[in-house]
Amino acid sequence: MAGVNMAQSLTHGETALPADWRDLFALTKPRVMSLVVFTALCGLLAAPVSVPPVLAFSSILAIALGAGASGALNQWYEAGLDAKMKRTAGRPLPAGRLDPQTALQFGIGLAAFSLFLMLFASNWQATLLLAVSILFYVFIYTMWLKPRTPQNIVIGGAAGAFPPLIGWVAATGSVAPLPVMLFLLIFLWTPPHFWALALFVRSDYAAAGIPMMPVVAGEKSTRRQILFYALIMAAAAIAPWPLGYTGALYGWTATILSALFVALSVQVGTRTTGEGDLMQPEKRLFAYSIAYLFILFGAVVADHWWTI
């Protein structure tokens, strides 16, 4: 177990520095958390009910803390793997700036507090969904899928798709078609987003022995699958409009943004690379995919407030 291995290495001569708040904050994966918080907030704001500001803030904070706890426990478990990859070697645990036991306690404590806060601020349904999302990310994705199958991102994408659904349920106490479709959108968005990254950091994953798609199936297969998922993701993104769950503001935004996503995916999916390739199309797709989700979810909220 990676977390245990790191703890053992520290026991045999390496001494971690006292925990610094910046290292604890880094454990929460703040860049990932920002997307989680935003999509959860959009799910809450798009719901057909009004939530008191204090309770809405507390619910979104609970989701943020739950995401942070998932990130901390992920880094605790994968500390040994992170040390083998250039992209992650500078994280607090592999760099020796943080004791693994502190990281584990921090992650568990943060998870428990996030669930207590959600139950206090909203309802048991949202609390249950938040608990499922944390457990899914830590146990199903991190511990089971990621080290075993190149489909880790496909199945594990469900963990990152929960926030808009949790936000909606925190506001309403029930599930509806629109947040389910937003869940599906993020689920289908995750493979092309992460595989674009995996293509230009393939050597890192190979060095760590992580069976990401480019390492196991090769570049050609990965590129085809990026294009495949981009196409069905685009259909899922546009679907709420013709089905009547959103208006034209969202519909046209989704259509234009998704067409550009597919165009970038075609470029990635149909090209071949040679020695010294800088992977610029892959980097463009990865960067655009993040902006895509931010703008699209912003359009969900704008469309909702435009039509009421």
Side-chain angles (χ1 to χ4, degrees):
M1 189 165 66
V4 174
N5 290 341
M6 182 54 105
Q8 290 174 341
S9 70
L10 288 169
T11 303
H12 290 86
E14 294 181 34
T15 303
L17 297 174
D20 184 279
W21 71 268
R22 285 165 292 194
D23 292 322
L24 291 174
F25 183 61
L27 280 183
T28 66
K29 298 187 175 180
R31 284 187 293 181
V32 175
M33 191 197 298
S34 65
L35 188 56
V36 167
V37 169
F38 185 74
T39 56
L41 179 61
C42 290
L44 186 146
L45 293 177
V49 298
S50 178
V51 182
V54 173
L55 296 182
F57 173 81
S58 298
S59 297
I60 297 303
L61 178 60
I63 295 171
L65 295 176
S70 300
L73 293 170
N74 169 272
Q75 289 193 57
W76 165 77
Y77 188 80
E78 294 186 342
L81 296 177
D82 284 346
K84 299 176 182 178
M85 299 193 292
K86 294 178 182 178
R87 187 172 61 90
T88 55
R91 286 176 173 175
L93 285 168
R97 298 194 306 272
L98 200 61
D99 173 44
Q101 191 67 18
T102 300
L104 176 60
Q105 293 170 352
F106 176 69
I108 293 174
L110 206 59
F113 181 70
S114 73
L115 296 176
F116 172 80
L117 180 60
M118 180 62 84
L119 186 59
F120 173 79
S122 62
N123 51 64
W124 69 265
Q125 296 95 328
T127 305
L128 179 61
L129 281 175
L130 180 58
V132 169
S133 70
I134 295 170
L135 293 173
F136 192 97
Y137 186 82
V138 174
F139 290 101
I140 303 299
Y141 171 66
T142 299
M143 296 184 179
W144 182 38
L145 292 171
K146 191 172 180 180
R148 288 177 173 82
T149 171
Q151 295 297 318
N152 48 26
I153 286 300
V154 178
I155 306 169
F162 274 106
L165 186 59
I166 299 173
W168 180 287
V169 173
T172 66
S174 61
V175 176
L178 179 57
V180 171
M181 298 182 80
L182 296 178
F183 174 97
L184 181 62
L185 168 60
I186 299 179
F187 181 79
L188 295 171
W189 166 89
T190 302
H193 167 71
F194 272 102
W195 285 337
L197 169 68
L199 283 170
F200 60 83
V201 296
R202 176 183 176 183
S203 58
D204 261 7
Y205 287 121
I210 299 174
M212 292 297 285
M213 189 64 70
V215 177
V216 175
E219 279 196 25
K220 187 175 181 180
S221 176
T222 303
R223 293 177 186 280
R224 285 200 305 265
Q225 293 192 58
I226 284 175
L227 182 54
F228 169 74
Y229 275 100
L231 289 169
I232 57 175
M233 180 215 70
I238 298 168
W241 182 25
L243 291 175
Y245 298 118
T246 60
L249 176 61
Y250 170 83
W252 282 112
T253 302
T255 300
I256 295 168
L257 292 180
S258 298
L260 182 53
F261 196 114
V262 170
L264 292 172
S265 299
V266 168
Q267 189 176 11
V268 170
T270 56
R271 73 189 293 261
T272 56
T273 60
E275 186 73 24
D277 193 291
L278 297 178
M279 294 284 189
Q280 291 301 329
E282 292 75 16
K283 292 176 181 177
R284 279 195 296 271
L285 176 59
F286 177 74
Y288 175 75
S289 67
I290 298 171
Y292 170 85
L293 214 59
F294 271 107
I295 299 171
L296 201 56
F297 271 79
V300 172
V301 177
D303 185 85
H304 170 72
W305 289 101
W306 180 267
T307 54
I308 61 174

